[in-house]
Amino acid sequence: QTDITVAIQLEPPNLDPTGGAAQAIDSVLYSNVFEGLTRFMADGSVVPGLAASWDISEDGLTYTFTLQSGVMFHDGTTMDAEDVKFSLDRARAEDSTNAQKGLFADIADVTVIDPATIAVTLAQPNGSFLFNMAWGDAVIVAPESIETIASNPIGTGAFTFTDWVQGDRLELTRNDAYWGDAPALESATFRFISDPTAAFAAVMAEDVDAFVGFPAPENLPQFEADPRFQVLVGNTEGETILSMNNQMPPFDNVLVRQAVSLAIDRQAIIDGAMFGYGTPIGTHFAPHNPDYVDLIENSSHNPDRARELLAEAGFADGFTTTLKLPPPSYARRGGEIIAAQLREVGITAEISNLEWAQWLEDVFKAKDFGMSIVSHTEPMDIGIYANPDYYFQYDNIVFQAVMEKLNTTTDPDMRSELMAAAQTLISEDYVNGYLFQLAVPTVAKAGLNGLWLDQPTAAVDLTGVSWSE
Amino acid sequence: MIRFAAKRLLSLILSLIAASIVIFAVIEVIPGDPASFMLGVNARADTLDALRDQMGLNDPLPLRYINWIGGMLTGDFGTSWTYKTPVADLINDRIWVSLPLAIYALLLSTLIAFPAGIIAASRRGGPADISIMGATQLGVAIPNFWFAMILVLVFAINLRWFSAGGFPGWDNPALALKSLTLPAIALALPQAAILARVMRSSLLDNLGEDYIRTARAKGLTRRQALWRHAVRNALIPVLTIIGLQFSFLLAGGIIIEQVFFLPGLGRLIFQSISARDLIVVESVVMLLVFVVIVVNFAVDLAYATVDPRLRAKS
Amino acid sequence: MTLLSITNLTLSIGETEILHDVDLSMQAGEIAAITGESGSGKSMTALSVMGLLPNRAQTTGTITLDGTDILQTPEPEMCALRGNTMGMVFQEPMTALNPVQTIGAQVAETILIHENTTKPEAHKRAAAMLQKVGLNVPPTRYPHELSGGQRQRVVIAMAIALRPKLLIADEPTTALDVTTQARILDLLRDLVREFGMGLLIITHDLAVVADIADQIIVMQKGRVVEAAQTAQLLGDMQHPYTRALFAASRHTPPIPDPYQTHTKPISGAISAKPQGLVVENVVRTYDLARKNILGPRPKFRALNDVSFHIAKGERVGLVGESGCGKSTLTRAILGLENVQGGAITLDGEPVFSANRPNLDVRRKMQVVFQDPYGSFNPRHTVARLVSEPWHLLDTPPANGAEHIARALTDVGLTASDADKYIHEFSGGQRQRIAIARALIIEPELIIFDEAVSALDVSVRAQVLDLIADLCQKRDLAYLFISHDLTVVRSVTDRVLVMKTGQIVEQGDTETVFTAPAHPYTKTLLAAAPRLPDLIEV
Amino acid sequence: MSRNIALGGLLTALFTALALVSFLYTPHDIQTLDIPNKLQTPSGTNWLGTDHFGRDILSMIMMGARTSIAVAVLAVGIGICVGVPLGLLAAARRGSLLDEIIMRGNDLVFAFPSLVIAILITAIFGPSAINAIIAIGIFNIPVFARLSRGAALPIWERDFILAARVSGKSSFRISYEHILPNITNLMIVQGTIQFSLGILAEAALSYIGLGAQPPTASWGRMLADAQTLTSIAPHVALIPGLAIVLMVLGLNLLGDGLRDLLDPRIRRARA
Ligand SMILES: Nc1ncnc2c1ncn2[C@@H]1O[C@H](COP(=O)(O)OP(=O)(O)OP(=O)(O)O)[C@@H](O)[C@H]1O
Ligand SMILES: Nc1ncnc2c1ncn2[C@@H]1O[C@H](COP(=O)(O)OP(=O)(O)OP(=O)(O)O)[C@@H](O)[C@H]1O
Ligand SMILES: [Mg+2]
Ligand SMILES: [Mg+2]
């Protein structure tokens, strides 16, 4: 068998990874159709992609990339340094609609040296520049095909895009002119099934070969028990947090935030909302990261202490606030559980369920919320706590200074230390309730090999996938 | 007849204009910024504004309405804000799922309902009538999404006769029909129950009319009187229901399309509403309303064909 | 030769026995008429012969038609008989035809069902049969395009298409105008003579019976109480019920002489204000649906230059065929609708002014409607129904209950009836209640719009007596509208004859009836069936 | 006939009683979750078992009945309170421009796909029981307007209306005094039917997450929560489904029975 049908929950709204934020775009296209200078591997490490190698200047400001030779776009044009310059300049331009413009913020200049060499000059040293260039938002595109990229993506990857039936499926076929190792699969179909019941039925009826990010954790034991299937439960970069509006009373009071954090029982949430899948966290950092510090003790379940803290903060009779939840089931179910747990200590959380668009509008943009639950799936995103305008509005000069320092530090030990300091700061400030690291369960037919276990970035990389005989 | 048609056509056009204004007005009320949704969590303000301008969201309202209507008249429904493809293409793709599904379900429901209604009416009070009426009561009471869940559980997961959902496309019509079968059944049964009840009561009404007695006095058997006189006349109210059901099936498949993850109009509109893809919502709702109004128009004309009294009334 | 004989026919539906030992026999070529009051079992007898009884009906006895025992014949063979050997015409021409098939097709169906002919052939014969019954419209018409009389002809054509031996006609003319009725009866009579078939006609109209029948069968409460040849029966009625029936039909209420009543008719310019009701050149038009979308709405003149007056205490009749504008006139007089031309005044005051009914004038007028069932809100008590006109007064009378009791006793009911609901009364009693309601505010003028047309003869006689009685007691003026000339003649002093929205003749009742001036009045009088003068019983 | 009323009345009464009792007493508190005790099968302590949060399903069904009934009753209430006066007004002014406007307005509402509009409304104003009521209620208005106009028109032709007009009563007074009482039976019958449709609509909206919000219990949401559990704990999905079916069935039977009882002549087509 050389074809595969992979289901994922969300359908990409369009197929331009450099113009839209939706993770689903990366899920389908990352590494399969589009490649960047560097790329993530399944374990989260960053390795060379279209850049075969690079030199970093002494001051850490100039990166000189040597490109892979013989790389062609799917439309038959060659990929060279001009394309790289075009891609990077386009992403950082004034009118760019790139959703992760920040990744390119430090770039001061991009210079083509020869068709196979390009130099990128930074305004200040950036320890995560190579990491940034591995993101889906930093893939290399060609000026020839940019007009129609949203509906007809032309990249350099091992698969070419063939068809997209909106609302149902997207098809890829093997790119025989691929510069790297040829993939085992000849064709691949992505299907988009967001409804958990439909997902269960589709896998059970063997309509799909694999489901990456299976939405109903409660069904996993059944698949595990069924010899037809294998279940892979991997890590993501998704820190699931109970976010609190730090500028809005009473959450501007650290005692209240601490009380909320102590009132919630993480394990009950993981059991109740995720049926046991998920790793508890005590700060905004992925536990599988070597720099992770275990700070769970700071906010272990203690409703009595929570009530005391509330009384201390002047809310002996509790208070009423809003809990605005986006659509994923971790949020909806988790929200119900948290509301019940908060009720125990006297806090009334009025739940309202929002669609993503509304959530973005109300919570993210207008900051009109008391609490919310959301998984932050961008890799290494603790930096959001340094932005006082970010939706939970945490404003701490000390933390901001730590992050400033971290950005310009390249020494690994020093970085580790700074990251530990950052984690501890936000943990002890109880900025948000830190719940768990989101698990991505993948259910696949037995005999399918090479799917990513963890999700360092949202990607269903099919280049290494094959069927065993 | 022509005058009748012309008069109905005029009211059809007026209805469409009224409907389009209502739709446009309602859609404009929806809070939520499509641009920020498209760009996601970390988008910057200047990026957002650039996109809003590009999508024409900053134009004045009347201009946007006129552009919208004018576009639709020329087959240009605009460009989807999320998919970035022409809305007309999206609708064109989806309608080839929803339309066959609606027709399939309507056929099923008619095929079930007509015999059931006729048998029940002609054996009024008998065991056949009582059991058919009992079944229709259940049919009306069962929520179709629950019924769909059960169908999937039994026929897709356990028996594996049908796939659990999805739509393979019309390249292989047999496969396509097969994949529409469970959804069509889930949609059709409650409709069939309603239709059978309407058919029965309409038939009973007609069977009680004087002209049936006249027909019997002419020497027609009970059965002949039923088929030659009552059934045709009973069709008149049944036709309305079929018209209503067709429109309902076309749009009302939302939940069923969700359960069977069919890429149909219903799911398109559901996704578009959550995605704040207002231009798609507007166009699809307008399309559905258009279909309803046109179907009603067609039903009216069909009425006039079946019932000469209506032709005269105009 | 005996065509039809019914012996000991007993019929029950469910638990109730409806026909008891009915015996009847008639010859080929004979016209037999069944008569009797409403609910006496006339229709059930006819339906028994046709084998079209309701589902739960049980019969015993025998019905023999042309040698075939109907009650023993299985259903398929009955189907072969119906339409072929026997045909039936029902009362309601408006609903007896399938509205969605052409009349030609419906007549042809009778032929196609029974005979092995081609469709075109059947349609040709159907067209011929429609000609035969005097219908000169194309057979491609639909029933709604025909008038009531024309539809009844279609039904007859259907029933006689195969020249059945027996034709049953259940109240075939009740729903029709007198003139149309006369034409239909003539048609039936001619067909019987021509085809030599037997006609069993059911009617409660004794004048029709006496006019057309060879044999009369009188039924009461599910029994045949008397059956005899017409001449013999009219000459010598055996059963008291028969006698009562005929007496009631010929009943003349004791209306006091107009010039003996309390008020004199107005004499021109005695007072400045004209007294009584004055209708002057009234025109009432209805807007019809537009013929084309942008064109003007065509108008229909339902009342065309109508003028007359009713003096205080005067009793005026209005006769005319269905649709001539009688009810429209009633509504105009009551000021319920505005008129497009002319003026209506009561005692000099307009009945309709400034776009609304003039309630001051309305206080002096009341109305009694035709339908004793539809004239009352079934959810109100009689007291509330009767006192409804008090709404016209600024303050209802203090001792309301007394007034209501008096009104009820005046019309022959009791004071205790005030707390009952309308369904607890018979048709005649309801019409009394309607009169009580009209009387309660002591109006100057009452309009009786077909007030007795729906009643059985005996009940009608009682209600007419009541009206006469009230005339004795009060200073009552009324406009009595009816299509029944006999009744009008018996209760009015003066009569108006109306045709298509116009008054074609008016004058002293006796004069108009004995010496009609207008040709239309003559036709009307000629068409009205009359009971032969009988030996007094 | 009376069998319909008996069975329908019984079912309706049962669920109404469950809803009413829930104000005073439920076997368990559904506000507190007992996650370790989740997905229990029916037992002595939890007669109908527990759901995915360990809540008592019987208690949830009782609270859900409350929501369903409240939403449906209020939605039908909106339909009746707005629709019937509109219909009566149109009938009183039959043939006028006002009548035309009201009836065309009704047609217009009917032309909109109801579920889509309900989704749209809840999407605009946020999902909640109140918005579900409004969304369902809006589509009840034309139903009652059309029905009451249709029923009122022949009554306007009756002679007793003419008698009332002769007594000088205004058309509003006549509508209220004579027409309304004579169409109440019909409205009760239709009300029962719209009530059952309201229950179904609430379930459908809650099923897609647009109805009553947690912690308010709702049958539709119970179904939605349980749908992935059908193969693990079938009773969790079966019980709310059955509750919906039985309640709707009961109301429909009641409606049919009432129709036969109150007015055998009404055999209005059900759509
Ligand atoms: N389908 C029926 N079921 C039960 N009783 C019936 C049915 N039809 C008629 N009846 C009863 O049978 C009796 C005779 O009815 P029938 O119709 O023969 O009277 P009729 O003499 O024709 O009266 P009318 O002059 O009013 O037509 C009446 O008391 C009537 O109530
Ligand atoms: N609202 C209306 N619009 C149009 N035409 C009408 C209307 N009402 C009555 N007409 C017509 O006006 C004419 C007179 O009607 P009207 O009801 O006054 O007749 P009528 O003499 O009372 O008849 P009947 O004896 O059948 O009661 C009829 O031809 C009728 O069709
Ligand atoms: Mg992260
Ligand atoms: Mg009769």
Side-chain angles (χ1 to χ4, degrees), chain B residues 3 6-7 210-211 213-214 216-222 224 228-229 232-233 306-309 311-312, chain C residues 50 52 75 79 82-83 90 92 95-101 106 109-110 113-114 142 144 158 291:
Chain B
R3 207 166 65 223
K7 203 172 158 191
D210 283 351
Y211 65 82
R213 200 174 55 176
T214 311
R216 295 270 290 136
K218 274 196 255 185
L220 272 75
T221 60
R222 215 175 273 277
Q224 282 170 327
R228 293 193 191 187
H229 292 277
R232 181 160 166 214
N233 295 27
V306 179
D307 191 341
R309 284 169 296 185
R311 267 174 267 168
Chain C
M50 291 298 287
L52 288 176
E75 177 62 21
C79 286
R82 279 183 218 124
F90 296 98
E92 263 304 324
T95 54
L97 290 170
N98 186 336
V100 307
Q101 289 183 0
Q106 296 191 55
E109 191 175 32
T110 313
I113 286 281
H114 296 284
Y142 287 96
H144 70 270
M158 254 158 58
K291 283 244 158 39

Side-chain angles (χ1 to χ4, degrees), chain C residues 39 42-44 91 170-171 202:
Chain C
K42 305 184 294 286
S43 299
M44 284 295 148
Q91 170 174 2
D170 188 355
E171 310 265 12
I202 295 172

Side-chain angles (χ1 to χ4, degrees), chain A residues 236-240 284-286 375-382 384 437:
Chain A
T236 64
E237 294 295 324
E239 293 87 5
T240 311
H284 196 103
F285 218 73
S375 223
H376 289 258
T377 50
E378 289 80 18
M380 268 295 297
D381 53 2
I382 194 169
I384 56 181
Q437 192 71 12

